[in-house]
Amino acid sequence: MKMLNPQQKSRLARQMVGSTNRWRFPRDPFSGDLLALSQMFKALNVDFEEVLKNPDRLCISQIQKIFSENFKNKTVQSGEADVILECLGFKWELHQPQLFQSETLAKLYLTALVRENANPLRELEKLLRAQSSSKSKEQTPVKKMIISLKINDPVVTRVEGCTEASLSTTASPAFATALKNLYMSEVEMNVDDVLGVLASAHILQFSTLFQKCVLLMMSKLTPSNIKNFYLAGCKYKEQQLITACKEWLEMNLVPLVGTQIHLRKIPQELLHVVLKSPSFPKKCAFLDRDSGHSFMPLFLCLRLDGINKGKDLEELRHINFFPEMWLARVAANHYHALESGGDMFHLKDLTTQAMRYGLLFNQEYTVYSQTIAIYGFFFEIKGIKHDATSYSFYMQRIRHTDLEYNSVVCEQSSMVSLRAERLVRYEISAHTMVGGKWQEFRTNQITQKFGLVKPSCRSHTLKIQTVGIPIYASFAFIFPIS
């Protein structure tokens, strides 16, 4: 009789639970106790005979409780493999205990077990006994099970740096990394390969690896990968990755992404969510924070007074980028201008402080105009094409009754000024590209009282001759104190 050392004796001992005479596995790997295996199936409410008849309908998580738990502390297999996986043109040698970490491979294995054996439960018991037995001459040889998995996902099958001729002899590094994780808990993963590993983990239904990939992606977001990581989160409905991408972009849209070519790659729906979200903590606007102080001179150059719609100011307040004092000052200036009949006492210099509106005059236009409303006054800015090279641009005051009832301007401005005249200082300019160089045309700075009838309702006209198209026309003005 072969003597067992204390460690072996402890491992093979059966343990009784309570007064029910129910036996259970010790914490060590499976000891080959088939009675305990049967009782363990019953304890988990698993009809294993029925499971093996319908492997596609089984709950793999229940089987994983049995096999993965028993083998989680087992030394990495170094013996002969008992499963051959045919995938991506290669044969991968695997071991049955590690294989059960993947729901996909577990189902394929059980399906093959039913297909190739008259008594699959007995064959499984043989495999378990072989796995738990020590290496000896008496060890029963185990028949290798062959399973096949087809993968068509290009994210998995892509092999970087390989020619078409060498592709058939080169394994997918992403899939190889995924299989390596069946055996090792800490596998170094390159962030450039993580999308392929994530896709492999999804195909294998290898949940621990999938979550490991998600956590790596969340910690390695950059302008160059934000798009693909976000799309991966949407594809696999991984909300924590989607949220991480959104929050990262909220913080980095201006300082990082906005200065790089990657901005054009950002999915429109993600950009829309970010731009409408409160990007920064409510307690402090971005420009008031230490990280935002360096951007203060840049944003002080913005003409925030040109934002004269309450809805737009509210959007800026919601984003929480600008200091509250800035937006409060803009709102106060508009309020005082309204109270003063439109006088913009806070704006003095037409060059640096003017309200500006523009027209983009394209080749197909003969006449193009837009209507603007400010402090109850309505103006039409207009461009006319006279012939192939002749254009004119001007602005004119119009009555509110001349507006179409359902026009955008009518909807946005419910206020009407009753003043017959409005003093305006303005300048009209136009720019176009000809032969790779910009042509510039402009009027002088003109101060004029605009009435409601001709000729006082119409500005001076900027007339130009050019072959350039399109033409960028700009109308800059302020309402001086009158």
Side-chain angles (χ1 to χ4, degrees), residues 342-362:
D343 292 351
M344 301 177 182
F345 64 93
H346 55 288
L347 303 181
K348 306 295 183 183
D349 184 20
L350 185 67
T351 303
T352 60
Q353 297 179 308
M355 300 280 190
R356 294 185 297 178
Y357 295 85
L359 292 178
L360 180 59
F361 203 92
N362 291 316

Side-chain angles (χ1 to χ4, degrees), residues 214 218 221 226 229-249 270 273-274:
V214 169
M218 292 169 59
L221 288 167
I226 179 73
F229 284 11
Y230 171 76
L231 293 177
C234 294
K235 177 180 179 181
Y236 301 119
K237 295 181 174 58
E238 192 61 34
Q239 189 58 48
Q240 61 175 333
L241 179 57
I242 295 173
T243 301
C245 291
K246 170 180 167 291
E247 292 176 347
W248 183 91
L249 191 59
L270 174 59
V273 169
V274 169

